[in-house]
Amino acid sequence: MELSRDDIAKVALLSRLQLNDEELDAMQSDLQNMVNFVEQLGEVDTDGVEPMAHAVELHNIFREDKIAPSLPREEALANAPDEDGEFYRVPAVLGD
Amino acid sequence: MSSWIDLSANELLSQLEAGQVTSQEVVTAFLDRIHQVDPKVHAFLNLFAEEALQKASVVDERRKNGEKVGLLGGLPVAVKDVLCMKIGATTAGSKMLERFHSPYNATVIEKLEQADGIILGKTNMDEFAMGSSTENSAYNGTANPWDLERVPGGSSGGAAACVASQMAPLSLGTDTGGSIRQPAAFCGITGVKPTYGRVSRFGMIAFASSLDQIGPMTNSVEDAALLLEVIAGHDPSDATSLDRPVPNYREALKEPLKSFKLGLPKEIADFNPDPEIQKAVEAALEVYRETGATIEEISLPNLKYAVPTYYVIAPSEASSNLARYDSVHYGYRTDRKAMMAGLEEGDSPLVQMYSQSRAEGFGPEVKRRIMLGTFALSKGYYDAYYLKALKVRRLIRQDFDRAFEQVDAIIGPCTPKPAFKIGEKVSDPISMYLEDLFTVGANLSGNAAMSIPCGFTSENLPIGLQLQVPALEEERLFRIGHLYQQVTDWHQRRPSLG
Amino acid sequence: MNATVTDAAYTTIIGLEVHTQLLTKSKLFCGCANRFGEEPNTLTCPVCIGMPGVMPVMNREAFRLAVRTGLALQGKIASFCKWDRKNYYYPDLPKGYQISQFDLPFCEGGHLEVEVEEGQAPSKVRLHRIHLEEDAGKSMHDESMGGRDSLVDLNRTGVPLLEIVTEPDIRSPEEAKAFLTELKLLLVYLGVSDCNMQEGSLRVDANVNLHLPGESGETIATPIVEIKNMNSFRAVERALHHEVVRQWEEWQATGKKKGEVPKQTRGWNDEAGETFAQREKEESSDYRYFPEPDLVPVTMTAEQIATAEAEVGELPQALRTRLQSEYELSAYDADVLVNQGKALVRYYLEVADACGDAKLVSNWLQQDIMRTLKERNITIEELPVSAPMLTELLKKVQSNELPRARARDVFAQMVETEASLEETMDAMGIKQVDAGALRELCQSLVDANPRIVEDVKGGKQQAVGALIGQAKKKDPNVNPGEVRKICLELIQAMGEDS
Ligand SMILES: [Zn+2]
């Protein structure tokens, strides 16, 4: 499948990756190569094959409903790039 | 004694237990070695010298008083910087996490501490474990101790190089597509990717969650057995960890294997491994024949699809796993003023903050994989790429299941080529991906695998032999590997770093 | 306001999406408390902050409550269900994905019977599916910096949340409100949620459009609009009313059909009483769902489902029926009691069973008790008069030991002082008046009031009321009915004598 520049720009927005024109060009060629490379999977007959999402055949793994201590707020916010001592701070969330 | 750093972990442990040496002396010897050699190799991103010596003195004190000492008994361990630790930053080799200080320890870190292992520092790696050369680290590459102009492999390049150059007797790496075994092969050490679920992933910064596994990187199979015994086991914080007892792996080594069958996949030849590597593997097969093993040809018909399958599944999971690096709760954030100044009419400052922070915080390979993964999961392409890859993954698993009905272990080269030159493959992602050709199968299928040294090229570069066993058969894996190391000395060779 | 719209012109088509938080102690994937109203960012840990390396582990109780809800709503519980990641960027979603269920939810189908108008046959609203997912945190606008910032609180992040999706079976805003009222009652009865809309533990989105008859008999559908931000059932009803009219007018103005314009999301402005178009989020439709690699599937056998079914308990509709058939209450009385909640019904049943007069007890609950609860803003569990205490009191009324009006005074006093019936009666000076003493008292009154006696004899029976008044002055504890009865007897006897 041929990837257009528009396709790349769309995937970049979905990925939240800012790319300038030059980077977009480079990404278009890299991604095209990668897509071509993985497209050989199309040769494999997978009719009736169950997809395999996990490498272990486990099910029904639960934890009990018990309260464990939370982090002190200072520690929770310690890594935040911008906070006011109570909340994480981000540029205004629009449209809400 | 010439130097403590020349001993294997098990030998050091005997000396510690016999009171021939203290943990402080051992730690000091390795710290000295680091100061001497690491400026050339650059295996470490961060050292905890003070804390290490402090902890060593506590262990020494306990031993002196006849108190109980953990399984690692004061042995130094190096840890790949993808494992979260309360001390120091945990960066995953990324600028994104340059200042990230984890408020918690990974389960394996807790286990190391409980076993009285002394954590020396954090080792270099490809950013978010994406790469096969450690060149993708945001903090400079690591050199191969056998040839400083070559890469140590990756992504656990620092972990491999620090053991090979005797800066640590034990080290922890992680393996998503070969990231323990390929650098082990390139650096001439022993590297184990345990069965998926054998070691808790809690606290390992995720790359591709259904493939990631933590494992030991050591000088010998015996040392790997010791370290796996410490880190393996069920963890209630990891829903994919297996609730199965951990065998005494070192004890298992003492029971010799009588007769066993090794399978050599015939498809390996299709990929033209380096002739010197082929020769070394053939010689290893001969060694095994002499010990009483039989070698059979087996078939892994979908081997050629393993790398493309991997390069759909791993980036897809990664695109989601790395979405959390959005500069809101932790991690790198772009300069707000500059960002706001560049906004155009109608742009959302929030979206711009995400996109710009991620563009600046991630390196090129990480961005490529996020893009590929996002694409493979997006509307209209999911079935053709992601779902298709999950189905081929099942077929690859079935190939392994069939092979293991026929033989006790699969044997072959770990990598198609020996360590390459720094910079040689940076501009060619696909050729870098093919480094994983022989290793990704075990991650896709979930079985255990290991690389052990089996010779050198004419350029004196180490060659790795890969052994693979069914899930949870690590005892068998170690016995087969140990057998080889009892009759060969490749694993005892050391690079001359001066 | 809808004077221009005739009922025959179109059919209103409504589907609801209800999100309800589950009443677990801890969050869905970590041990942080599931609690409302705490200081911001004090109920978080590495797991719910989505820090690097963390992994989710499913809360058993959350899944149990989810299954109970599905069964109570007559849904089909899946023998196999799994979790998926829904990927999107938002500051209150710290991992960059929400763990949810995509193609294999734990429950499909089901229905709820709803009485829209009293006396009319209930309508059946079918459910499409129910799935379990994690809640997001909260973002709020920060006005302090000129409105340029938003603030994020992650206390709610990871709280277990059920999404209940109806089929588009609802035909009027009134029916939507009735459905929500009955659903809320059911969820509260089940003990799975407190359904507090003010605290956000119940949230509703509505999808609405109109079906109109086309010229050649076909059905024309107008574009579906999703309405958000409605914070009461009344608001849902009003918003739907407004939207129906708005869509009708838009249809008449534009003639645009479903599929000809993208699906629109509109917010509800309660003060203005109107819906307004909301800004679309970028690519909001491409969530790139894929199986969550960190969580394993959940399977349920038929036996496990049957066991869960047995634990569901009696549901509101069944209770209403039972109160009518076994306790002979009117449909209205049964409805009032059941709608007060499970605890009040339990209280009612206990007292009614002990007293044997279901109607008397029903009256007491609907009058004195419900008024008291309302005035004091307390629950039935907090009422100082327990079910055995009320039983004791009502038995005195039944045996005529206490006049009804006096009993109400006693009840009020018991609520006030939290004392027992006996203590209260003592404190109020209420003693059982001895039958002989009462007869003596009546005799003295008859003797002292010949005029009244004459009046009674002359056929004016009501004149005896004056004697009752005098009796009460002398002893407030006399039973007026008894006084009346005895006085009449005495007067009659006098007549026979003379
Ligand atoms: Zn938490």
Side-chain angles (χ1 to χ4, degrees), chain C residues 152-320:
Chain C
V152 182
D153 172 16
L154 298 185
N155 281 354
R156 200 176 72 179
T157 309
V159 164
L161 198 63
L162 282 188
E163 182 176 317
I164 302 169
V165 184
T166 76
E167 296 290 353
D169 280 0
I170 298 169
R171 291 289 169 267
S172 71
E174 291 74 20
E175 189 181 353
K177 188 182 174 209
F179 170 83
L180 291 169
T181 307
E182 185 65 12
L183 178 67
K184 175 180 168 172
L185 183 70
L186 179 86
L187 295 172
V188 173
Y189 259 83
L190 290 170
V192 301
S193 179
D194 59 16
C195 294
N196 187 329
M197 277 189 102
Q198 264 58 54
E199 295 181 359
S201 63
L202 186 87
R203 307 194 280 275
V204 183
D205 299 332
N207 282 292
V208 57
N209 71 339
L210 309 178
H211 281 183
L212 310 105
E215 279 169 13
S216 40
E218 81 280 15
T219 300
I220 299 169
T222 62
I224 296 177
V225 169
E226 182 173 5
I227 316 175
K228 290 178 175 289
N229 311 349
M230 300 167 290
N231 48 24
S232 69
F233 292 168
R234 172 91 188 109
V236 172
E237 194 182 3
R238 289 179 65 212
L240 285 169
H241 266 300
H242 174 271
E243 187 59 22
V244 165
V245 173
R246 196 197 63 78
Q247 285 192 23
W248 173 249
E249 288 167 358
E250 186 151 306
W251 159 254
Q252 287 181 314
T254 67
K256 283 267 196 301
K257 298 177 198 162
K258 180 180 164 187
E260 292 174 358
V261 287
K263 187 178 159 180
Q264 204 188 24
T265 303
R266 298 181 71 88
W268 168 245
N269 182 334
D270 207 57
E271 276 133 62
E274 57 189 30
T275 63
F276 58 94
Q278 279 190 330
R279 210 180 98 127
E280 297 294 308
K281 284 178 207 162
E282 282 88 349
E283 283 98 12
S284 57
S285 54
D286 199 348
Y287 291 123
R288 289 159 285 133
Y289 281 100
F290 75 103
E292 164 59 278
D294 288 334
L295 289 172
V296 298
V298 174
T299 60
M300 282 195 88
T301 62
E303 294 79 61
Q304 286 169 322
I305 295 171
T307 307
E309 209 155 9
E311 286 167 5
V312 168
E314 195 169 22
L315 299 175
Q317 195 47 51
L319 254 181
R320 289 189 189 105

Side-chain angles (χ1 to χ4, degrees), chain B residues 57-224:
Chain B
S57 75
V58 172
V59 175
D60 286 337
E61 192 62 27
R62 292 224 309 272
R63 180 172 279 125
K64 209 175 85 191
N65 295 338
E67 290 168 48
K68 201 169 174 319
V69 174
L71 205 54
L72 291 177
L75 284 175
V77 190
V79 169
K80 185 178 178 179
D81 203 21
V82 75
L83 300 172
C84 285
M85 270 178 73
K86 282 190 204 165
I87 61 166
T90 300
T91 70
S94 181
K95 180 182 173 186
M96 183 59 86
L97 292 178
E98 191 169 6
R99 280 187 284 273
F100 174 68
H101 289 262
S102 171
Y104 76 101
N105 280 334
T107 299
V108 289
I109 298 297
E110 293 287 329
K111 285 185 177 255
L112 287 181
E113 301 211 327
Q114 279 156 25
D116 288 323
I118 313 294
I119 297 171
L120 291 178
K122 304 294 277 294
T123 57
N124 200 9
M125 57 184 284
D126 285 303
E127 182 178 7
F128 287 105
M130 297 178 187
S132 305
S133 67
T134 314
E135 291 165 288
N136 296 334
S137 167
Y139 308 100
N140 299 319
T142 296
N144 189 315
W146 293 90
D147 177 349
L148 296 176
E149 291 185 356
R150 289 179 189 265
V151 301
S155 64
S156 311
C162 79
V163 172
S165 51
Q166 297 173 270
M167 294 190 274
L170 298 167
S171 125
L172 284 184
T174 62
D175 191 316
T176 306
S179 281
I180 286 176
R181 290 159 287 159
Q182 182 254 18
F186 278 16
C187 292
I189 66 161
T190 299
V192 180
K193 185 210 86 80
T195 304
Y196 185 84
R198 180 76 286 194
V199 179
S200 166
R201 293 184 291 120
F202 188 83
M204 168 191 177
I205 297 182
F207 161 15
S209 313
S210 81
L211 305 163
D212 293 339
Q213 192 61 194
I214 302 168
M217 302 180 78
T218 59
N219 286 305
S220 68
V221 172
E222 222 183 340
D223 288 357

Side-chain angles (χ1 to χ4, degrees), chain A residues 70, chain C residues 27 30-32 43-49 157:
Chain A
S70 294
Chain C
K27 293 186 181 181
C30 66
C32 289
L43 296 179
T44 68
C45 72
V47 174
C48 57
I49 298 170
T157 309

Side-chain angles (χ1 to χ4, degrees), chain A residues 1 11 15-16 18 30 34-35 37 39 41 43-44 46 49-53 79-82 89 91, chain B residues 101 305 309 327 330-331 333 352-353 355 358-359 368 371 374 381 385 388 390-391 393-394 397 433 444:
Chain A
M1 113 138 237
V11 175
S15 306
R16 295 293 185 271
Q18 164 101 348
D30 283 347
M34 288 156 83
V35 166
F37 174 67
E39 269 178 350
L41 293 180
E43 302 163 9
V44 187
T46 52
V49 178
E50 268 296 295
M52 176 177 168
N79 281 292
D82 191 8
R89 192 153 49 196
Chain B
H101 289 262
Y305 300 112
T309 300
S327 79
Y330 46 80
R333 181 184 288 194
Q352 190 62 23
M353 181 195 74
S355 298
R358 289 164 61 79
R368 272 196 286 272
M371 291 283 291
T374 303
Y381 304 108
Y385 292 90
K388 181 79 184 179
L390 290 192
K391 290 177 179 176
R393 181 180 186 179
R394 171 84 59 197
R397 162 70 166 265
Y433 296 173
L444 291 168

Side-chain angles (χ1 to χ4, degrees), chain A residues 73-85:
Chain A
R73 180 158 64 195
E74 259 174 64
E75 241 183 277
L77 296 175
N79 281 292
D82 191 8
E83 41 87 18
D84 69 358

